[in-house]
Amino acid sequence: MLKIGSHVSFSDKGLLTATEEAASYGSSSFMIYTGAPQNTRRKPIESMNIEAGKAAMAAADIEEIVVHAPYIINLGSYKSNTYQLAVDFLQEEIRRTHALGVRNIVLHPGAFTDKDAEYGVARIAEGLNEVLNGTNETEVSIALETMAGKGTEVGRSFEEIAAIIDKVQHNERLTICLDTCHIHDAGYDIVNDLDGVLRQFDDTIGLNRLAIVHVNDSKNPIGSRKDRHTPIGTGWIGFEAINRVVHHEALQGRPFILETPWVGKDAKTQRPMYEMEIALLRGDIAARFGESVLTEVERLDSFFAGQDIHPRSFVLDTWNLLKNDAKAKKADPREPLERLYDLVTAANLFPDYSEEQVNQRVLAWLATGH
């Protein structure tokens, strides 16, 4: 069974509510932060509702989940207090991850800030040595995430990640999280040469270390080094390329985790597209949403064809317009999915559907339309 899910929240009821949210999307895996991703404040392990959460996971047929460390810790920092905070927090987070029964904690390697990449690689390796030497929970691995290369972040190439691994003593406890948006933005052509990219990964790091795949489309063209996610099928990677990643024989058995942004006109009522994205990648949207969804997607196909709108060309033309024409972007900053949603609602195609339901069907058309 394809292990696929999304990032979910970790609220007062801990693992239980996280599992319930993941199950509502049809997930067979999911990823959590054990607190807010923007800070290191964490509740005691005893309050994470672990036993009830594990029971809910079993009921939902969810076996493997993933923990993600917060973004703000930086093992690459030359500042002693920032570096030590990262080391101390990661050691505690490994203990929390172990208590949850989770095998991998995803980590953005770090940034070299005012130094250089060579310093960043060495400093991150130094921190990982300290973290791993200071913890006995050997069942838990740190999954270094491939990065897009924005700013001074380390991990923007397979070679940088391999250099970190080579400097870590207990590197059997290091795994990798491959992010589709990140490696695309870093310059790896997963759209036209996925096999070649995976061979390069295998030659440089080893596919045996790959433990998790983050599944995200990108708002920017290849090599942009931007790291801006968008729902699958609405960006430069596109649904077909992402679908090939998820079903590639060399990647099977790993959890695939969506980190795509929520969508909607009003920030207060925005909704994730996870349920439709998961169904599309499984190839079972009719089973999930009912047979009528196929007719509705066909209706959208006819409607957009009548306006000479085709999925991939519309998406890429819109992103090119927003990227290359500042006046046009200022006048109309709407992204592809929002523009399509507005056309559908103006035509009153689905008057009884919520904004979320309309967006789900537009997303399905982007993935399956002609």
Side-chain angles (χ1 to χ4, degrees):
M1 181 180 181
L2 185 67
K3 295 180 186 177
I4 188 165
S6 65
H7 158 229
V8 296
S9 57
F10 199 74
S11 61
D12 289 344
K13 292 185 180 179
L15 187 59
L16 177 60
T17 49
T19 303
E20 290 170 345
E21 181 186 345
S24 75
Y25 304 135
S27 303
S28 51
S29 182
F30 61 88
M31 183 178 76
I32 55 173
Y33 297 85
T34 64
Q38 301 87 2
N39 63 56
T40 58
R41 293 192 297 273
R42 295 294 183 266
K43 294 183 178 181
I45 290 174
E46 298 75 29
S47 68
M48 295 196 299
N49 223 1
I50 294 174
E51 293 308 313
K54 287 185 176 180
M57 284 174 58
D61 199 23
I62 297 173
E63 294 181 4
E64 183 177 5
I65 66 172
V66 180
V67 167
H68 199 305
Y71 307 129
I72 63 165
I73 59 174
N74 182 15
L75 281 179
S77 179
Y78 66 89
K79 297 179 180 178
S80 58
N81 56 338
T82 302
Y83 170 84
Q84 196 59 50
L85 171 66
V87 169
D88 294 344
F89 178 83
L90 277 172
Q91 288 178 335
E92 181 58 28
E93 196 73 336
I94 284 175
R95 297 181 186 104
R96 295 166 66 82
T97 300
H98 182 262
L100 287 164
V102 175
R103 294 185 295 175
N104 286 282
I105 174 170
V106 176
L107 174 70
H108 291 185
F112 56 80
T113 60
D114 298 330
K115 299 292 186 176
D116 57 27
E118 184 178 1
Y119 176 89
V121 166
R123 184 67 156 169
I124 291 165
E126 177 187 357
L128 289 170
N129 277 319
E130 192 170 341
V131 169
L132 296 176
N133 287 332
T135 53
N136 297 318
E137 292 78 9
T138 56
E139 302 90 343
V140 177
S141 296
I142 294 177
L144 301 175
E145 184 168 348
T146 57
M147 305 306 293
K150 69 180 187 298
T152 65
E153 64 187 13
V154 180
R156 57 201 165 179
S157 71
F158 299 158
E159 288 77 13
E160 278 191 347
I161 292 176
I164 293 170
I165 294 171
D166 286 344
K167 294 178 183 294
V168 175
Q169 295 165 357
H170 295 290
N171 62 23
E172 71 280 1
R173 290 177 63 190
L174 295 181
T175 55
I176 303 297
C177 172
L178 186 78
D179 187 298
T180 56
C181 172
H182 292 180
I183 62 171
H184 164 86
D185 283 19
Y188 293 97
D189 192 358
I190 60 172
V191 175
N192 300 300
D193 190 22
L194 176 59
D195 285 341
V197 172
L198 292 179
R199 279 195 301 272
Q200 187 176 353
F201 182 96
D202 194 28
D203 291 342
T204 309
I205 299 173
L207 279 169
N208 60 308
R209 284 196 189 270
L210 182 56
I212 303 127
V213 180
H214 282 172
V215 182
N216 305 294
D217 213 326
S218 173
K219 293 184 179 184
N220 291 283
I222 186 171
S224 62
R225 299 185 179 274
K226 294 289 187 183
D227 185 13
R228 296 185 65 211
H229 300 186
T230 190
I232 61 170
T234 69
W236 281 86
I237 301 174
F239 175 79
E240 288 188 7
I242 290 175
N243 198 45
R244 285 195 296 271
V245 171
V246 169
H247 293 281
H248 197 286
E249 61 181 1
L251 303 179
Q252 296 315 293
R254 285 95 168 168
F256 294 90
I257 304 295
L258 291 154
E259 296 178 303
T260 52
W262 292 25
V263 299
K265 295 285 189 179
D266 187 341
K268 294 181 180 178
T269 58
Q270 286 181 345
R271 293 288 299 157
M273 292 292 101
Y274 301 147
E275 185 177 11
M276 178 57 79
E277 290 173 314
I278 290 169
L280 284 166
L281 291 169
R282 282 208 182 110
D284 65 354
I285 63 170
R288 184 72 188 179
F289 292 90
E291 292 290 335
S292 61
V293 74
L294 301 178
T295 302
E296 292 160 351
V297 173
E298 288 178 2
R299 186 179 179 190
L300 284 174
D301 202 37
S302 297
F303 169 70
F304 287 129
Q307 301 190 48
D308 198 27
I309 294 175
H310 307 281
R312 288 307 294 154
S313 58
F314 180 85
V315 166
L316 298 184
D317 288 348
T318 302
W319 287 122
N320 272 321
L321 178 69
L322 296 175
K323 177 177 180 287
N324 299 321
D325 192 330
K327 288 184 178 179
K329 181 177 181 179
K330 184 175 181 180
D332 187 1
R334 292 175 303 159
E335 296 179 357
L337 186 59
E338 185 179 359
R339 291 174 185 239
L340 294 170
Y341 169 85
D342 287 343
L343 289 171
V344 172
T345 53
N348 203 32
L349 290 184
F350 304 115
D352 298 326
Y353 280 177
S354 67
E355 183 180 27
E356 177 185 8
Q357 290 172 314
V358 174
N359 276 321
Q360 286 173 330
R361 282 146 184 81
V362 173
L363 197 69
W365 173 75
L366 284 172
T368 62
H370 304 295

